Structures are given as C-alpha cells and as structure tokens.
Amino acid sequence: MASLRRHLAKAGINGFFFLLVVTILTAYLFPEWGAGEGERLVDELTYYGVSLIFFFYGAKISPATLKLGLSNWRLHLWIQSTTFLVFPAIILGCYAVFGQANSLFWLGTFYLAALPSTVSSSVVMVSIARGNLPAAIFNASISSLLGVFITPLWMDLFLSASQADFALWDTVGKLVVQIFLPVGLGFLLHRYLGSWVQRQSRPLKYFDQSVILLIVFSAFSQSFGQNMFAGQNVLGLSFWMLALFLVMLGVMFGVGKWLGFSRPDRITVLFCGSKKSLVQGAVMGKVLFPDPVVFGVVLLPIMVYHTLQLLLGSALAERLGTAKTEPT
C-alpha cells in the first residue's frame, strides 16, 4: 500500500487531488450548501484566507534568491514572455480560427492562458528533474507578482473584444489590496518570519489547500445549482487541455534549445513556462468574475489543466531526473 501511494504521488495523484474530486462531487450533490448564508460565510472565510496565503508566500521569498536570479536575464525574459505573451497569443489564434461557439469555454480557456505560473509544483518538478532550481524559484516568485497586474489587463482586452463589461482598474485595485499588499508585507518581514514559515511549510500547505477547496466548492455549487454545466463537453475540454499542455511543452523545449540554454535551464523553461496556477486562478477569479455561477464554468478549464500538468508534469520530471544523458 505504501509503495502504491508513493507511485501515485509521483504521478501527481495525491491527497489534494482526491479532495478536489470530492469537493466537486459534494458541490454537485448538495449545491444548496453553497447558497444563501453558506455563500456569504465561504466568501468571508476565503477573502481573509487568500490574504493570509499571500502574506506567508511573501514571507518565504528570500531577497538573496531574487538578487541572485537577476543575473540570468535571458532565461527569465523567455519564461515570463511565454507565461504572459506566448500562451495567450496561442489561445487568441485558436479563438480567431474556431470562432465563438461556446463563449464561457473560450473565456475560461483564455483566463487560463493569462494566469501566472505555479509556485510550489514548478519548483518541486524542476528540482526532481535536476533543473536550475534558483532560476525556478525566482521565476515562480516574479510570475505570481506580475500576474496581479498582467492577468487583469489581458482579461480586459479579451472581454472588451467580446463586448462584455469589465472594470479593469477597480479589479486591479481589489487584487492589489487582497494579494499584492500582503505579499509585500510578508516580504518586508522575511527577516523575522522567513525561517518560521519554512519550518511550518506542511501546516501552511494544508491551510492553502483548504482555502482553495472552499473557493472551488463555492464556485461549483453555484454553477451546478443554476445548471450551468448542461451541454458542456467535459471530455472534449479534457482533450483540448491535453493538446494545449503538450503544445506548450514542445514550444518550451524547442525554443529553449534554439536559444542555446543549458540542460538545467531548458528544464526550468519546460516546467515554469508550461504551468498555470490553480491557486491564483481561483483567487483572482473571485474578483474578476463576481458572478459565482459564471465563475464555476470559467474555473473548469483551469481545473482540468491543473490535473494534467500534475499527472504529466510529474511523470516527465521523474523521467528527466533519472536520465543519464542530455535529452536531444
């Protein structure tokens, strides 16, 4: 049994993965739990929970690590360009070709493309694959901060093109208060809290996951309650997300090799550039999409992509980590 758990964990199928499945199932069976007083309670808990998540995240960021990472600017520029430019450009191209048959599907897919990279899973997978770990930490940290401003800008562009109302600066202001300021305060207190936060990584991880589960439950229960998933082709969406993830892996590795990056740097590009953050997707989505019924549907592509990047990314990291020769 222990061996089975280890193999499942390596493939990205861990306790949190199963809890996400159970949370969605619960929202489907009992959508009324996320309505009325339950909705207001969850909203209040998640608002302050999100601020605490990013406060502790800021406290973990080491100024020395950030300073060290600045030297490899070509690598960082490509990773951030991929995250915030190449990814959205690919989806915009697909949107232009395939049209607007399902507006919420495209809205969720473009929202996924505009999100920053993950933090913890990118760093862990780069470490397993024997990539450039300091560069991974630097890019994951910077990506999360940039996302507070760049993701709303992209959504403003996309929603404006779709003739939808979007209060850009009001949204950015809310994200600055809820995310950016807590990160900044935590960063300023790194000297005093950094070592404590590192020691408490496990309970803080569980706290982070609990907040995300609450956000997911709230969004999905509202959407299930309003029957918003009727007619949604989840299997087709899964294939689309799989194709998108594989395309991004190919682009990351091919361009990294073309730019002459070393093997550790190419591995860092591969994982940091192809991943998207479920945490920030759930957090920013509550501000960007105030209607929880719509937000549940918009969150679906992110949930599917998150699962795939865990499953395939973990397997790829294990493969690269045990490889004896440099990949071609």
Side-chain angles (χ1 to χ4, degrees), residues 34-291:
E37 289 296 327
E39 179 187 354
R40 285 189 285 273
L41 177 61
V42 169
D43 284 346
E44 188 170 345
L45 288 173
T46 53
Y47 181 88
Y48 294 107
V50 163
S51 295
L52 281 174
I53 285 175
F54 283 93
F55 170 77
F56 289 125
Y57 167 66
K60 284 194 295 187
I61 300 175
S62 168
T65 300
L66 293 182
K67 184 178 179 180
L68 178 64
L70 289 173
S71 59
N72 200 351
W73 64 268
R74 288 177 66 248
L75 175 64
H76 308 321
L77 182 62
W78 170 240
I79 291 175
Q80 299 306 319
S81 296
T82 300
T83 300
F84 293 115
L85 294 177
V86 176
F87 220 123
I90 288 175
I91 300 304
L92 283 176
C94 293
Y95 180 68
V97 171
F98 296 108
Q100 307 173 27
N102 188 328
S103 58
L104 287 180
F105 165 81
W106 285 108
L107 178 60
T109 304
F110 187 77
Y111 179 49
L112 162 71
L115 286 172
S117 180
T118 60
V119 178
S120 57
S121 65
S122 291
V123 172
V124 168
M125 290 183 190
V126 167
S127 176
I128 292 172
R130 296 185 297 173
N132 186 335
L133 190 57
I137 296 171
F138 176 86
N139 278 282
S141 302
I142 293 300
S143 179
S144 295
L145 299 179
L146 291 175
V148 174
F149 304 98
I150 297 178
T151 301
L153 287 171
W154 267 122
M155 297 313 299
D156 178 59
L157 173 66
F158 187 83
L159 291 171
S160 296
S162 303
Q163 288 82 47
D165 293 327
F166 184 70
L168 172 63
W169 297 113
D170 180 58
T171 299
V172 171
K174 290 178 180 177
L175 291 174
V176 167
V177 170
Q178 193 176 9
I179 297 176
F180 195 79
L181 290 182
V183 169
L185 180 60
F187 181 73
L188 292 175
L189 295 175
H190 170 81
R191 177 181 177 184
Y192 307 101
L193 296 177
S195 58
W196 180 84
V197 170
Q198 292 292 344
R199 291 196 303 271
Q200 302 300 319
S201 59
R202 184 175 291 272
L204 288 175
K205 173 186 173 183
Y206 294 148
F207 173 74
D208 295 355
Q209 292 175 346
S210 299
V211 173
I212 300 307
L213 290 173
L214 279 174
I215 293 174
V216 169
F217 174 77
S218 175
F220 274 77
S221 61
Q222 294 284 333
S223 296
F224 281 128
Q226 296 294 324
N227 204 30
M228 287 294 289
F229 291 109
Q232 299 291 327
N233 186 351
V234 178
L235 181 61
L237 175 64
S238 300
F239 279 116
W240 165 235
M241 291 296 105
L242 174 61
L244 179 61
F245 183 65
L246 294 176
V247 166
M248 292 310 300
L249 284 178
V251 170
M252 296 302 94
F253 187 79
V255 176
K257 189 172 183 179
W258 177 65
L259 291 174
F261 290 145
S262 64
R263 182 180 190 274
D265 284 355
R266 291 209 305 273
I267 288 173
T268 303
V269 167
L270 196 65
F271 290 105
C272 291
S274 63
K275 287 180 170 295
K276 291 294 180 176
S277 175
L278 172 63
V279 173
Q280 288 202 252
V283 167
M284 290 196 288
K286 285 187 68 67
V287 178
L288 293 167
F289 310 103
D291 185 346

Side-chain angles (χ1 to χ4, degrees), residues 10-34:
K10 287 180 180 180
I13 305 177
N14 51 23
F16 183 57
F17 172 82
F18 288 112
L19 284 173
L20 279 172
V21 174
V22 170
T23 297
I24 296 173
L25 181 60
T26 304
Y28 173 73
L29 295 174
F30 307 102
E32 67 277 6
W33 289 1

